[in-house]
Amino acid sequence: MQTISLPLLTHSFPIPLSSFSPLPSPPSPFISFPAARRSNRLRASTSESASSVAVDNADSADSTAFVVRARNRIGLLQVITRVFKVLGLTIDRATVEFHGDFFVKKFFVTDSHGNKILDSDNLDRIKRALEEAIGADGRVLVASSTANRGVVVRRPGLVEELGERRAKAERMFSLMDGFLKNDPLSLQKDILHHVEYTVARSRFSFDDFEAYQALSHSVRDRLIERWHDTHIYVKRTKSKRLYFLSLEFLMGRSLSNSVINLGIQDQYAEALSQLGFEFEVLAEQEGDAALGNGGLARLSACQMDSLATLDYPAWGYGLRYEYGLFRQVIVDGFQHEQPDYWLNFGNPWEIERIHVTYEVKFYGTVEEVDMNGERHKVWIPGETVEAVAYDNPIPGYGTRNTINLRLWAAKPSNQFDLEAYNTGDYINSVVNRQRAETISNVLYPDDRSHQGKELRLKQQYFFVSASLQDIVRRFKEEHNSFDELPDKVALHLNDTHPSLSIAEIMRILVDEEHLGWNKAWDIVCKIFSFTTHTVVAGGLEKIPVDLLGSLLPRHLQILYEINFNFMEELKKRIGLDYNRLSRMSIVEEGAVKNIRMANLAIVCSHTVNGVSKLHLDTLKTRTFKDFYELWPEKFQYKTNGVTQRRWIVVSNPSLCALISKWLGTEAWIRNADLLAGLRDHVDNTDFHQEWKMVKKVNKMRLAEYIETMSGLKVSLDAMFDVQVKRIHEYKRQLLNIFGIIHRYDCLKNMDKNDRRKVVPRVCIIGGKAAPGYEIAKKIIKLCHAVAEKINNDTDIGDLLKLVFIPDYNVSVAELVIPGADLSQHLSTAGHEASGTGSMKFLMNGCLLLATTDGSTVEIIEEIGSENLFLFGAKVHEVAELREKGSTLKIPLQFARVLRMVRDGYFGYEDYFKSLCDTVEVGNDFYLLGHDFGSYVEAQAAADKAFVEPEKWIKMSILSVAGSGIFSSDRTIQEYAERTWKIDPCRCPL
């Protein structure tokens, strides 16, 4: 017998033991997990059944010993250590003894906190994972690959199929005998392979962009492996699945996020360095995926990341916009919109599924036909287009689970081309093609015209119809009865945009599957949940009945029937209160008859979600008061969150490293609650110095970007004061600009000695105005006019600078947010449903200057009001203040600033007149004048804190320490447990 001491292994992976889920036994069918790859060791000896795993907790006082007995074979050690790594365990030491062809390996391990493992359930689960990996039960084997995962396969002796089919299967599996390796040499080979065979460039001559394309395809290969395995495993376990329906997903760049979630960033960096490239330079070659507008779209992206990381079986569905929102170009201070050709250079992260297509119908008529003695409605469409699927793998962090975001692109139906060919009308064929493809061309078409409204409705139904056909098809492959649908499918409406799903699934069940109306309605009401992101009733989506009846005649009939049944039920419960019946009706009567999409979603959904505690209060008392009184049990809230993996790990690697160092673990990347541990170091001077250095590095990055973008040099000693978000009156960028004008006016009237005491500021504003939103566009122009005046004033110098960042997007946010000292969130109280921008700044140690609106209320609860700068009217005061109107007193400073703009101090006197009119006394709906005094005081408090660096750093640390609850992981877990009723389905090793 020979004993060998193995080198110290310190693999750790941030997965708490509490997140374990039992691994199911291998199934009986021929293809076990995963089908995508098989070991070439199919003919292993049956003596493998002698393999075993034992637990010994008496051998060491500070660790748990796992004793593994198995036949020796290449790669098995890597597989075992990988098991421990994925389960979040650290191997302190290990020994091995050889007994002939067998070995006994003893691993001394601790949990992610360095503690011995005592819980019997956790010990049993670890043991079971090891047994499945090494084949201790004699039924399964481990692939010999030394890649990042072990592969479980069936033994050939259990294969029931015989003859030619079995021989072909074994041949296929023997050719696919392992996974892609992640060592630098293997990565280099893969990158060069894609340079030559995917990008079609010589491996001896290719530039940064071509290197990025090859690099991305090599990463995508690894995503696809995990992606296939995840879907096969979820299908095998028959888990209930979530389908997340959203018209927007603001994904940003994928490269850095993917390699971090895969755990191979360092390997890629080393591989590229040896080839003469820098990973960071290549990552900059990627453009943003322009699939969304603002906070709702970025929230969807964060939630997809969390769904994958937490191992939930989920699909996202959306539209593949060819041109995105728009590219914002500033010319002479004015916003101009240009198409965002984000797909011009291809998208290596998507996989076109040309075989996954569905017909989507529009227009036409509805006829009644007799079927088996019953009358059925049949929709005869006037136009048909094809929906083609594009899949985007979304990897989880610290798990092999990789879920799917399926986006639909519109293509012309073949029947158009055939008809055109038969009539010789080639031009008509081209026109039909263009008309079909327009549906998925542009994000948020301008809906001020009838054509714009029709295109918007077409987009919504196109996305809904394709998604539901796909979901129903997948369900029918595995189940025989729609009675099982509520137990296997959860459909989530992300705002009202996908609400037509309700009418569409009713049409499918009643018209195509021939279920009775009552049975279909009962099923539908059990599968939908709804999250609203709107605060005021005036902002809720409505669709004109005439438009809906023309475009979707059958759906209008279904909606009328849903509403009739609801009204009859409502009369029984509340009586003939016609005012309330009118308010709650799905059909809004009036000069223009409309379908209220929010009312439809509430009536049909089993759960209605607000996105913050304050938002839910608003829904209950104002927006949906009638519905809350009818169904109080339906209403919940889950405060929005953002993913710390994108907004710290990817965007702020310096802070990420610092947090991990002082917490002594990377486990916070999966469990953001661990960030609270930073409070233990809040008074440590060494920690303060390192924190300060991280902030300085990030400010340098931002300052370089500002200089490159605008030519303006800014001082790193200044406070970087940031407001970046969609330009809107209620978000009050105008209040910020007025505050900057006031600061400038004060500086101009100071003597030089007093100016030396002023805290220097770099004020940064960014965001897009909707193309038809004239007031928002004037706010952008005012910002540039004020910047032109201030930045060229030699009396002011570096004491005050104003910068507008054009075409603000996710990638720019990843530079701006880590470099900000102060972030402004100025919405009039009661107008922001949640606000996730504040959470991103909070996670990066930026202090907040904010009104008590949306999620800020909960941020105050977590970090204390003393660690941010609050101002402005409270929610309960706003209505009363508006009633006072012209009798409201406004500060003299506000009147002076307004007069400066109105009198043309910054030029464009006539152009800014209508902008000034919106904030005059009596017309100041968003209360800029009332809040201006307290706003200036809050700015002064921020100045005072900034000149005390230790106090500022302490507040910054406490901001990060209190940000854990605002992780989207927490949000998704609450949704999964309270709303969707889905369980984690962790893809095993």
Side-chain angles (χ1 to χ4, degrees):
M1 182 179 73
Q2 184 182 10
T3 302
I4 301 174
S5 293
L6 298 176
L8 181 65
L9 300 170
T10 57
H11 298 291
S12 69
F13 220 59
I15 308 174
L17 291 176
S18 60
S19 68
F20 287 3
S21 59
L23 299 174
S25 300
S28 57
F30 168 60
I31 299 178
S32 68
F33 174 77
R37 295 291 188 273
R38 302 296 177 191
S39 170
N40 59 4
R41 302 178 61 86
L42 285 167
R43 307 186 188 282
S45 167
T46 55
S47 61
E48 287 289 344
S49 60
S51 301
S52 64
V53 178
V55 180
D56 185 356
N57 245 331
D59 201 359
S60 173
D62 53 4
S63 60
T64 299
F66 289 88
V67 184
V68 179
R69 182 182 188 276
R71 182 178 294 275
N72 193 24
R73 60 181 182 272
I74 297 172
L76 187 57
L77 176 61
Q78 288 90 339
V79 169
I80 295 171
T81 56
R82 175 66 179 167
V83 172
F84 287 123
K85 182 177 181 180
V86 172
L87 295 181
L89 306 173
T90 300
I91 304 174
D92 293 332
R93 64 187 187 280
T95 63
V96 59
E97 299 176 356
F98 289 94
H99 300 272
D101 290 340
F102 282 79
F103 64 76
V104 176
K105 294 182 181 180
K106 184 179 290 188
F107 299 86
F108 294 86
V109 304
T110 57
D111 65 18
S112 58
H113 301 289
N115 300 322
K116 190 173 183 176
I117 306 162
L118 299 175
D119 183 79
S120 59
D121 289 340
N122 285 336
L123 289 171
D124 185 56
R125 289 168 185 165
I126 299 166
K127 181 182 174 183
R128 190 158 57 244
L130 288 168
E131 287 173 344
E132 183 166 347
I134 69 168
D137 58 4
R139 294 180 297 168
V140 291
L141 292 176
V142 181
S144 58
S145 169
T146 59
N148 275 357
R149 51 182 171 175
V151 185
V152 181
V153 299
R154 285 295 303 272
R155 299 174 62 76
L158 297 178
V159 176
E160 297 176 1
E161 292 83 356
L162 299 174
E164 184 180 355
R165 181 177 176 188
R166 172 177 170 178
K168 287 180 178 179
E170 290 197 4
R171 175 62 177 164
M172 180 182 69
F173 295 153
S174 69
L175 290 171
M176 304 171 67
D177 65 347
F179 295 97
L180 294 171
K181 298 178 181 179
N182 293 325
D183 59 279
L185 179 59
S186 298
L187 295 177
Q188 288 169 357
K189 288 180 178 178
D190 286 350
I191 291 168
L192 293 175
H193 175 88
H194 280 294
V195 165
E196 190 148 357
Y197 298 108
T198 303
V199 185
R201 293 288 293 168
S202 167
R203 64 180 63 193
F204 302 107
S205 176
F206 56 98
D207 61 21
D208 283 350
F209 181 70
E210 291 155 351
Y212 155 73
Q213 289 180 305
L215 167 62
S216 298
H217 277 96
S218 74
V219 176
R220 193 187 77 165
D221 290 345
R222 286 154 175 81
L223 289 176
I224 288 172
E225 286 184 336
R226 296 172 175 233
W227 182 60
H228 279 311
D229 294 349
T230 303
H231 293 310
I232 290 167
Y233 184 70
V234 170
K235 185 175 182 178
R236 193 187 83 180
T237 58
K238 299 186 183 299
S239 300
K240 183 178 181 179
R241 295 176 189 172
L242 163 72
Y243 295 104
F244 189 88
L245 306 177
S246 178
L247 263 181
E248 296 185 60
F249 290 92
L250 203 55
M251 304 305 294
R253 293 171 173 170
S254 293
L255 177 58
S256 295
N257 191 69
S258 294
V259 297
I260 286 173
N261 278 14
L262 291 173
I264 51 178
Q265 183 181 29
D266 293 341
Q267 293 93 317
Y268 264 114
E270 182 181 346
L272 288 167
S273 177
Q274 293 172 8
L275 291 175
F277 294 92
E278 293 182 36
F279 179 87
E280 290 77 11
V281 173
L282 298 191
E284 288 297 316
Q285 299 294 317
E286 182 177 0
D288 273 40
L291 298 169
N293 178 11
L296 179 144
R298 183 54 226 172
L299 172 68
S300 300
C302 286
Q303 290 179 329
M304 290 298 292
D305 177 89
S306 291
L307 283 164
T309 297
L310 297 178
D311 304 313
Y312 288 114
W315 284 62
Y317 281 102
L319 274 184
R320 181 182 181 266
Y321 301 103
E322 189 169 349
Y323 299 119
L325 182 63
F326 60 83
R327 182 167 166 261
Q328 183 190 50
V329 177
I330 304 297
V331 179
D332 193 27
F334 293 94
Q335 171 181 296
H336 294 265
E337 301 88 30
Q338 293 184 355
D340 186 353
Y341 299 106
W342 75 281
L343 285 172
N344 263 14
F345 298 100
N347 178 15
W349 304 103
E350 69 181 9
I351 302 144
E352 184 179 19
R353 297 297 204 185
I354 56 175
H355 62 286
V356 182
T357 65
Y358 298 97
E359 285 191 346
V360 179
K361 307 167 188 177
F362 299 104
Y363 306 109
T365 58
V366 180
E367 298 179 2
E368 278 197 6
V369 298
D370 188 83
M371 294 178 63
N372 299 323
E374 295 183 0
R375 303 295 290 174
H376 288 271
K377 298 286 178 59
V378 176
W379 179 18
I380 311 298
E383 178 182 307
T384 304
V385 300
E386 293 285 336
V388 180
Y390 287 77
D391 288 343
N392 299 260
I394 309 294
Y397 179 89
T399 175
R400 287 184 44 248
N401 280 43
T402 298
I403 62 176
N404 194 32
L405 172 59
R406 175 160 286 180
L407 305 175
W408 302 105
K411 306 293 181 185
S413 172
N414 289 334
Q415 74 181 51
F416 281 137
D417 293 338
L418 182 61
E419 290 171 4
Y421 176 78
N422 288 337
T423 61
D425 189 357
Y426 171 72
I427 298 301
N428 188 50
S429 174
V430 173
V431 170
N432 285 331
R433 174 174 289 272
Q434 291 175 333
R435 184 169 60 181
E437 293 177 346
T438 299
I439 294 173
S440 57
N441 270 0
V442 183
L443 170 66
Y444 280 17
D446 189 345
D447 61 358
R448 286 175 294 178
S449 66
H450 176 80
Q451 291 84 353
K453 286 182 171 69
E454 184 179 56
L455 178 55
R456 180 70 182 277
L457 181 57
K458 266 192 168 183
Q459 281 189 344
Q460 291 184 0
Y461 178 67
F462 172 81
F463 146 65
V464 156
S465 176
S467 301
L468 287 176
Q469 288 183 71
D470 197 42
I471 293 165
V472 170
R473 186 264 309 163
R474 189 174 299 111
F475 173 81
K476 289 173 69 174
E477 284 178 356
E478 301 173 26
H479 306 281
N480 298 319
S481 171
F482 280 99
D483 292 338
E484 299 178 69
L485 194 66
D487 296 325
K488 296 300 179 182
V489 168
L491 291 171
H492 189 73
L493 307 175
N494 191 34
D495 219 352
T496 56
H497 311 136
S499 295
L500 280 171
S501 300
I502 295 165
E504 174 67 357
I505 195 71
M506 283 297 293
R507 187 191 67 80
I508 291 172
L509 294 179
V510 174
D511 293 359
E512 296 182 3
E513 302 297 336
H514 306 302
L515 270 65
W517 178 274
N518 291 337
K519 183 174 182 179
W521 180 247
D522 181 62
I523 291 171
V524 168
C525 290
K526 292 176 181 176
I527 61 176
F528 280 103
S529 56
F530 167 52
T531 292
T532 176
H533 299 267
T534 306
V535 177
V536 295
L540 297 173
E541 184 180 19
K542 300 174 184 178
I543 299 176
V545 164
D546 290 345
L547 175 60
L548 187 61
S550 169
L551 192 67
L552 303 170
R554 177 61 180 136
H555 295 76
L556 182 60
Q557 292 178 347
I558 290 170
L559 291 172
Y560 274 146
E561 189 161 356
I562 290 173
N563 191 55
F564 175 80
N565 293 336
F566 171 56
M567 287 289 102
E568 292 303 305
E569 177 192 343
L570 196 57
K571 289 174 186 176
K572 294 174 185 176
R573 298 189 62 171
I574 69 170
L576 299 179
D577 182 344
Y578 289 109
N579 287 333
R580 187 176 177 190
L581 288 169
S582 175
R583 291 194 303 267
M584 297 179 73
S585 174
I586 295 169
V587 181
E588 179 187 54
E589 303 291 343
V592 177
K593 204 170 184 178
N594 292 305
I595 300 296
R596 296 171 169 139
M597 302 310 288
N599 289 21
L600 172 65
I602 295 171
V603 168
C604 183
S605 298
H606 57 75
T607 307
V608 179
N609 299 281
V611 290
S612 70
K613 186 184 297 183
L614 182 60
H615 185 219
L616 179 64
D617 291 340
T618 303
L619 297 181
K620 293 193 301 187
T621 58
R622 286 171 25 205
T623 316
F624 299 137
K625 181 176 183 290
D626 292 318
F627 287 101
Y628 176 73
E629 291 174 354
L630 180 67
W631 293 311
E633 71 282 357
K634 276 192 181 187
F635 286 79
Q636 301 177 0
Y637 83 92
K638 289 96 177 171
T639 301
N640 284 341
V642 300
T643 170
Q644 65 272 23
R645 290 168 288 279
R646 168 72 70 168
W647 295 109
I648 301 180
V649 181
V650 173
S651 66
N652 200 341
S654 301
L655 181 61
C656 173
L658 182 63
I659 291 171
S660 296
K661 173 186 174 182
W662 284 86
L663 290 181
T665 179
E666 292 182 344
W668 63 271
I669 300 174
R670 270 186 67 103
N671 181 6
D673 290 342
L674 296 177
L675 290 171
L678 294 174
R679 293 177 179 135
D680 297 338
H681 310 289
V682 72
D683 294 316
N684 188 300
T685 54
D686 293 336
F687 187 38
H688 281 208
Q689 281 302 114
E690 294 181 33
W691 194 272
K692 189 186 300 183
M693 184 56 64
V694 165
K695 179 57 71 175
K696 184 174 182 179
V697 168
N698 288 325
K699 290 178 73 170
M700 288 173 63
R701 291 169 60 213
L702 179 53
E704 289 172 3
Y705 174 77
I706 290 172
E707 185 175 0
T708 302
M709 178 267 300
S710 67
L712 183 68
K713 290 188 176 182
V714 297
S715 170
L716 295 179
D717 294 327
M719 179 198 297
F720 282 19
D721 173 1
V722 174
Q723 187 184 21
V724 282
K725 53 188 69 202
R726 183 165 46 92
I727 308 296
H728 199 290
E729 288 171 274
Y730 88 82
K731 293 181 184 290
R732 300 202 294 190
Q733 286 90 352
L734 188 55
L735 178 63
N736 187 358
I737 296 169
F738 280 3
I740 293 167
I741 295 172
H742 172 68
R743 179 177 286 263
Y744 173 68
D745 188 41
C746 291
L747 285 168
K748 288 291 287 182
N749 290 290
M750 285 181 186
D751 60 40
K752 291 184 178 180
N753 291 329
D754 288 335
R755 284 181 190 166
R756 294 193 186 101
K757 302 174 186 176
V758 173
V759 174
R761 290 257 187 144
V762 175
C763 300
I764 301 167
I765 297 175
K768 296 179 180 180
Y773 196 171
E774 291 302 324
I775 293 297
K777 287 187 169 183
K778 290 187 177 185
I779 291 172
I780 291 175
K781 176 56 184 174
L782 178 61
C783 180
H784 283 86
V786 173
E788 181 74 16
K789 189 81 167 179
I790 293 173
N791 296 343
N792 294 301
D793 192 328
T794 55
D795 291 341
I796 303 302
D798 285 338
L799 288 177
L800 185 62
K801 297 293 183 186
L802 175 56
V803 181
F804 185 89
I805 294 181
D807 205 36
Y808 180 71
N809 57 28
V810 176
S811 299
V812 175
E814 290 173 10
L815 271 175
V816 172
I817 292 173
D821 292 306
L822 183 72
S823 174
Q824 299 197 40
H825 305 273
L826 312 180
S827 57
T828 309
H831 284 74
E832 192 74 78
S834 173
T836 53
S838 57
M839 301 171 187
K840 297 164 194 169
F841 283 100
L842 191 74
M843 281 185 175
N844 281 271
C846 175
L847 304 194
L848 307 183
L849 189 151
T851 54
T852 50
D853 195 23
S855 59
T856 303
V857 174
E858 290 156 81
I859 290 175
I860 294 168
E861 293 174 0
E862 293 300 316
I863 70 172
S865 59
E866 67 277 8
N867 289 310
L868 67 168
F869 308 101
L870 299 171
F871 78 98
K874 305 294 190 294
V875 173
H876 64 275
E877 299 171 337
V878 170
E880 183 181 343
L881 290 169
R882 282 176 176 154
E883 286 180 10
K884 291 182 179 178
S886 58
T887 63
L888 270 179
K889 292 184 179 180
I890 62 169
L892 292 176
Q893 305 102 306
F894 182 80
R896 176 173 171 78
V897 166
L898 186 60
R899 180 56 56 188
M900 290 172 71
V901 177
R902 191 180 281 283
D903 289 349
Y905 187 84
F906 301 99
Y908 303 93
E909 180 178 345
D910 292 337
Y911 183 74
F912 292 136
K913 180 180 182 303
S914 61
L915 180 61
C916 293
D917 289 343
T918 65
V919 294
E920 281 286 3
V921 175
N923 196 35
D924 186 7
F925 183 79
Y926 294 105
L927 303 179
L928 276 72
H930 175 271
D931 285 354
F932 189 76
S934 61
Y935 175 70
V936 170
E937 290 174 4
Q939 290 282 15
D943 285 335
K944 184 178 179 182
F946 193 74
V947 296
E948 301 179 51
E950 295 306 311
K951 177 183 177 181
W952 188 275
I953 291 172
K954 186 173 179 179
M955 293 170 72
S956 176
I957 293 169
L958 291 172
S959 295
V960 178
S963 68
I965 195 173
F966 302 106
S967 167
S968 53
D969 293 350
R970 186 264 316 147
T971 309
I972 287 300
Q973 192 164 352
E974 289 181 2
Y975 270 112
E977 294 173 356
R978 298 176 56 200
T979 299
W980 301 326
K981 309 299 183 185
I982 58 174
D983 297 315
C985 184
R986 188 180 183 83
C987 193
L989 294 173

